[in-house]
């Protein structure tokens, strides 16, 4: 797996990140909170039981960067696998989706980067309009990606353009850094940095940031996109310049776009890097708007672990709110909503444990539900076809249960109704990756699986066609890609060739 001595590099980075902490009751309580604050990839939220979370909190100090989301397909106009977000029109079953969505998008032409800096103010009113942002952004366009860059999130923008956000360095301090590729991920350069904002780094156990953090990125097209994860900013020049984005909640939890509209979730209480509190707000706007407006308020009396947003191919935004597991309720509970314009309806699937994930296939009309079963990491699947809101009419898929083990992270992805990948990881020496080519009835290891990282897999997703991506849960500076429905994998590095 290693072309360089990644083990040596990993431990060197970890030694630099060590901060002495007092071993008191408060520190132990914070470790427990971190273990409960897990988030997972697109299509599935990672989960670990309450007891397992205590162990994970101790063993996972130094895992890879935060969640990486979104597709990374090529979009060469001559590529038959080109993305639906490019200017090339393709048949539905060969289109790849943009950003973190699986809905087809047709973007306007790309724009050039700006080298200007921007000032942004931070709002504090969670029930009124909130304009949040960091103190400034800088634009180190075309500088190489720093060796200490740790990937958090990546998004496909169209026309061979990808943007990613990760943890880097600003004047000796950790900060969020945005990097960019304009050749389908072959080479990367730094596009912007956010000095003064919080950057959780490799030790983070949760996807949610605090109110000053940026952990995710979504691009609607090569020009327009957002960074978020507690805080939120917007770019209209392809990632070179970021400005404050007006929203309603105190902290933004998740965001998705179908290229025409954006739907985000926020909370009225805020996020502390492990959990979020307060009511959950579903907000929406057109992509050219200066801010979002409230669509629905969901009263929540307990802390939440996540509030995922994902677009279906029919243009419905699916929002899944998951509670933080506790000693009394060790399995998190999932509440799911379909958002169609200004209309919001709740729906479910009837999983025995109450915890499940909605999974949009990148191609075709079938979507899936992955249900956590009682026991150690056993999952079953159901599917629906052409979901447009209301009752999905789930049909259980008879066959094997998916055995992913007791991983902190569990993730699922599908290119179409037949080809799926499931992955897990998060603990030392644990993790697996499985493929199915019969719609989820049977599962096995890939013919040529990527080497198992030290702590398994953090995330797997599909941007469409027959492509999958897998991101390790350790300090790996890159990810793995499959272009044959998960059977063989190659490594993608971040930086110049």
């Amino acid at each position: 797996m290693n072309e360089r001595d990644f083990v040596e590099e990993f431990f060197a980075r970890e030694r630099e990140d060590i901060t002495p902490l007092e071993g008191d009751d408060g520190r132990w309580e914070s470790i427990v909170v971190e273990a409960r604050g897990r988030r997972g990839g697109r299509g599935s939220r990672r989960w670990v039981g309450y007891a397992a979370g205590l162990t994970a909190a101790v063993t996972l100090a130094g895992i890879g960067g935060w969640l990486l989301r979104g597709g990374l397909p090529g979009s060469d106009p001559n590529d038959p696998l080109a993305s639906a977000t490019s200017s090339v029109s393709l048949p539905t079953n060969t289109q790849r989706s943009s950003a973190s969505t699986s809905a087809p998008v047709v973007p306007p032409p790309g724009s050039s980067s700006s080298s200007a800096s921007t000032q942004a103010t931070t709002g504090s009113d969670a029930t009124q309009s909130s304009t949040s942002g960091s103190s400034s952004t800088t634009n180190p366009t075309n500088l190489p990606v720093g060796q200490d860059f740790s990937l958090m999130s990546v998004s496909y923008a169209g026309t061979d353009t990808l943007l990613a956000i990760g943890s880097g360095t600003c004047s000796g301090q950790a900060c969020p850094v945005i990097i960019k590729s304009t050749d389908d991920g072959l080479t990367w350069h730094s596009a912007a940095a956010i000095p003064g904002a919080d950057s959780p780094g490799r030790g983070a156990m949760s996807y949610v940031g605090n109110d000053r953090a940026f952990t995710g990125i979504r691009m609607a097209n090569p020009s327009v996109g957002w960074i978020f994860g507690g805080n939120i900013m917007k770019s209209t020049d392809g990632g070179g310049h970021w400005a404050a984005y007006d929203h309603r909640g105190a902290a933004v939890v998740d965001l998705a776009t179908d290229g025409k509209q954006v739907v985000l979730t926020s909370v009225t209480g805020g996020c502390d890097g492990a959990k979020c509190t307060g009511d959950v707000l579903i907000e929406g706007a057109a992509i050219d708007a200066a801010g979002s407006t409230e669509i629905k308020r969901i009263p929540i009396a307990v802390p939440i672990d996540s509030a995922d947003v994902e677009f279906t191919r029919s243009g419905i935004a699916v929002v899944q709110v998951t509670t933080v597991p506790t000693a009394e309720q060790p399995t998190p509970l999932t509440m799911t909503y379909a958002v169609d314009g200004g209309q919001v309806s709740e729906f479910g699937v009837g999983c025995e444990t109450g915890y499940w994930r909605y999974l949009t296939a990148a191609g075709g009309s079938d979507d899936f539900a992955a249900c956590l079963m009682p026991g150690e990491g056993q999952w079953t699947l159901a599917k629906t076809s052409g979901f447009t809101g209301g009752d999905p009419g789930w049909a259980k898929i008879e066959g094997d249960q998916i055995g992913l083990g007791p991983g902190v992270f569990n993730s699922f992805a599908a290119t179409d109704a037949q080809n799926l990948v499931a992955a897990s990881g998060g603990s030392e020496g644990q993790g697996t990756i499985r493929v199915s080519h019969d719609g989820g009835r049977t599962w096995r290891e890939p013919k040529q699986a990527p080497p198992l990282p030290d702590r398994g897999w953090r995330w797997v997703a599909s941007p469409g066609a027959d492509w999958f991506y897998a991101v390790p849960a350790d300090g790996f500076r890159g990810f793995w890609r499959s272009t044959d429905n998960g059977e063989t994998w190659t490594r993608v590095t971040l930086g110049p060739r």
Side-chain angles (χ1 to χ4, degrees):
M1 168 178 172
N2 297 331
E3 292 181 4
R4 303 195 307 270
D5 192 345
F6 286 98
V7 174
E8 181 179 348
E9 291 182 9
F10 171 74
F11 283 108
R13 291 193 303 267
E14 296 311 304
R15 285 191 293 271
E16 293 176 356
D17 288 346
I18 291 174
T19 300
L21 296 171
E22 296 182 2
D24 55 15
D25 292 340
R27 175 55 183 161
W28 176 249
E29 181 180 355
S30 71
I31 291 175
V32 174
V33 169
E34 288 179 7
R36 295 176 180 175
R38 294 154 304 280
R39 293 252 323 187
R42 179 64 59 206
S44 172
R45 184 58 46 212
R46 294 113 183 189
W47 172 85
V48 64
Y50 174 76
L54 299 183
T55 302
V58 177
T59 60
L60 290 182
I63 62 176
W66 282 22
L67 175 70
L68 181 150
R69 291 182 165 189
L72 301 179
S75 61
D76 187 319
N78 298 317
D79 183 356
L81 302 180
S83 166
T85 62
S86 71
S87 59
V88 180
S89 178
L90 298 175
T92 300
N93 63 350
T94 62
Q95 289 178 330
R96 300 187 211 154
S97 60
S98 74
S100 63
T101 78
S102 55
V105 180
V106 179
S111 65
S112 60
S113 297
S114 168
S115 60
S117 294
T118 184
Q119 298 292 322
T121 60
T122 301
S124 59
D125 188 346
T127 60
Q128 302 296 322
S129 178
S130 175
T131 302
S132 65
S134 75
S135 59
S136 64
T137 63
T138 61
N139 186 316
T141 301
N142 294 324
L143 292 178
V145 177
Q147 289 297 317
D148 63 345
F149 181 83
S150 181
L151 190 64
M152 297 179 195
S153 176
V154 67
S155 182
Y156 176 61
T159 60
D160 292 333
T161 301
L162 303 85
L163 284 89
I165 189 170
S167 179
T169 302
C170 296
S171 301
Q173 300 294 321
C175 68
V177 173
I178 296 93
I179 65 173
K180 186 173 184 177
S181 172
T182 56
D183 55 10
D184 190 23
L186 184 65
T187 60
W188 296 78
H189 64 267
S190 294
I194 318 293
D198 288 347
S199 181
R202 291 179 295 279
M205 287 289 295
S206 171
Y207 177 65
V208 297
N210 60 40
D211 298 348
R212 288 171 46 82
F214 296 96
T215 65
I217 187 168
R218 302 287 186 278
M219 299 301 296
N221 55 54
S223 301
V224 179
W226 299 260
I227 53 175
F228 63 94
N231 212 329
I232 184 170
M233 300 181 84
K234 181 181 179 181
S235 175
T236 57
D237 66 353
H241 177 217
W242 297 87
Y245 186 73
D246 190 28
H247 61 288
R248 305 293 295 184
V252 174
V253 183
D254 198 19
L255 180 151
T257 177
D258 64 357
K260 298 178 181 178
Q261 60 181 322
V262 60
V263 172
L264 63 89
T265 52
S266 63
V267 290
T268 58
C271 300
D272 64 6
K275 65 184 184 303
C276 299
T277 58
D279 293 347
V280 175
L281 305 182
I282 301 176
E283 306 183 38
I287 65 168
D288 58 355
S292 57
T293 59
E294 181 179 325
I295 299 174
K296 182 177 179 65
R297 177 183 292 250
I298 304 169
I300 302 274
V302 298
I304 67 166
D305 173 85
S306 59
D308 295 344
V309 188
E310 179 172 3
F311 273 94
T312 70
R313 293 183 63 81
S314 60
I316 302 295
V318 175
V319 173
Q320 289 199 285
V321 180
T322 302
T323 61
V324 171
T326 64
E328 295 75 22
Q329 179 60 51
T331 303
L333 300 177
T334 305
M335 298 158 283
T336 309
Y337 305 86
V339 183
D340 184 7
Q343 302 297 315
V344 179
S345 59
E346 187 172 2
F347 68 99
V349 69
C351 291
E352 185 176 347
T353 63
Y355 180 75
W356 67 286
R357 306 314 306 162
Y358 192 95
L359 169 59
T360 296
S365 60
D366 288 350
D367 291 344
F368 296 88
C371 289
L372 178 67
M373 304 298 292
E376 287 287 301
Q378 298 294 317
W379 298 76
T380 60
L381 290 180
K383 74 175 180 178
T384 183
S385 183
F387 177 61
T388 58
D391 182 4
W394 295 108
K396 183 179 179 180
I397 297 174
E398 301 293 342
D400 299 344
Q401 288 191 357
I402 313 170
L404 297 180
V408 177
F409 308 115
N410 296 285
S411 185
F412 307 85
T415 57
D416 52 36
Q418 297 299 312
N419 298 288
L420 299 91
V421 169
S424 65
S427 298
E428 185 71 34
Q430 294 184 353
T432 187
I433 190 164
R434 294 288 186 268
V435 297
S436 174
H437 301 306
D438 56 9
R441 289 185 289 275
T442 62
W443 294 82
R444 59 172 174 78
E445 290 187 0
K447 291 180 180 178
Q448 186 179 329
L452 181 67
D454 290 342
R455 294 181 174 90
W457 302 102
R458 179 177 287 268
W459 170 88
V460 66
S462 171
D466 53 4
W467 289 42
F468 285 101
Y469 297 92
V471 178
D474 51 26
F476 183 67
R477 192 169 174 265
F479 56 94
W480 291 79
R481 173 171 60 195
S482 172
T483 58
D484 58 3
N485 283 317
E487 286 294 350
T488 62
W489 298 79
T490 56
R491 198 184 77 183
V492 178
T493 58
L494 303 177
R497 287 286 176 174

